[in-house]
Amino acid sequence: MESCSFRAATAPSPFPSAPSSSSSSSPRARSLILRFPRPRKGRKIGVRRRASGFDAFPPLPGKVFVDEAIGAEYGEGFETFRMDGPLKVDVDYLNEKLQECFLQRIRHAMKPDEAFGLIFSWDNVIADTDSLKLNAWSQLALEEGKDIPSAAHVRKSILHGAADHVLRKVLYWAKEEDKMEKMKARLIELYYENLFKLDTPVEGLREWLDAVQTAGIPCAVASSLDRRCMIEALDRMALSKYFKAIVTDEDDMDSIANRFLSAAMKLDRKPSKCVVFEDDPRGVTAAHNCTMMAVALIGAHPAYELVQADLAIAKYSELSVINLRRLFANKGISFMDLQKQIIEKSPPKRRLTVDTIF
């Protein structure tokens, strides 16, 4: 058994290569185990690979090529653990509990921009992940001797659909469960291999983060990737210094909205004072479910699919800090209250009588 880290001297991939036939006779070569340093519920997750191929298909790092739930509908939240036991966290709880203290109120009155919190999604907002996915699918097709149709609906499914659905219902590459699991595992390997080469953020992002940092607004990045992969990717792009908080797969958030709520907790900002930067309509819906503002980046989805966003931009150079103030000035922090408003019963009207004296 061998323990391998992400920074292997021979290859950047987190997955070990299949052993050669000359070394397959030794017990050590017959079974290679890769362990990721990510404890989850008291145990480590390993990926086992043998000379004959994959024997088992345990969870691979991060949630890539899956269809995640939006979350936070009707007060849905998540549980976090404290010393005195589990704590149920939802949107209303965080808006109520994450109140500014006296000194913070004074500081935010003098510097109102610091009262905001910015949450950036990873996909196509920080990095061009659509190209990573397309490259992974193209490499898989080449290895399998398959062709990917050029139809628009196929491309959309590949970029935004779950790998199970694409392999079985769109491309028709796999019918047997074992074959599909092997192809999914290889697809994720290829994605991470491409990710380890990524060193350029979305155009204009660094300049926007510089402006935000100057204004004193804390930022967080939310992703379903493995934490170590995320940190290394941010380091390669020289963006780590801009983010006060990171939400990754290790946070065990089972929906998009829960990741946003977790980021708000780490930033110590109420959800209603946070702005989410997204490129996906589902992410915009999740932000609104969390009473957050949503700024949509046009590109992966056309503008007409992002009409629900509070602000839609084609590139970061269109933004200024004053845009954030106007978001809250136009709608205020109670822009979602119409869905939660309690209608109070009005008191009964007094009956007016006229006394006639004869």
Side-chain angles (χ1 to χ4, degrees), residues 74-111:
Y74 307 106
E76 174 188 284
F78 61 92
E79 278 191 349
T80 184
F81 292 90
R82 302 286 179 87
M83 293 298 293
D84 54 349
L87 174 66
K88 181 72 173 179
V89 177
D90 61 13
V91 178
D92 292 332
Y93 177 89
L94 291 178
N95 277 327
E96 178 183 353
K97 295 299 181 181
L98 292 178
Q99 298 288 344
E100 300 168 339
C101 66
F102 177 71
L103 293 178
Q104 278 183 321
R105 286 198 297 271
I106 295 178
R107 181 176 181 84
H108 292 168
M110 299 171 62
K111 298 182 176 181

Side-chain angles (χ1 to χ4, degrees), residues 338-350:
L338 290 176
Q339 298 184 8
K340 302 178 181 179
Q341 184 177 2
I342 299 175
I343 301 176
E344 298 180 357
K345 293 183 178 180
S346 58
K349 296 181 179 180
R350 295 178 58 187

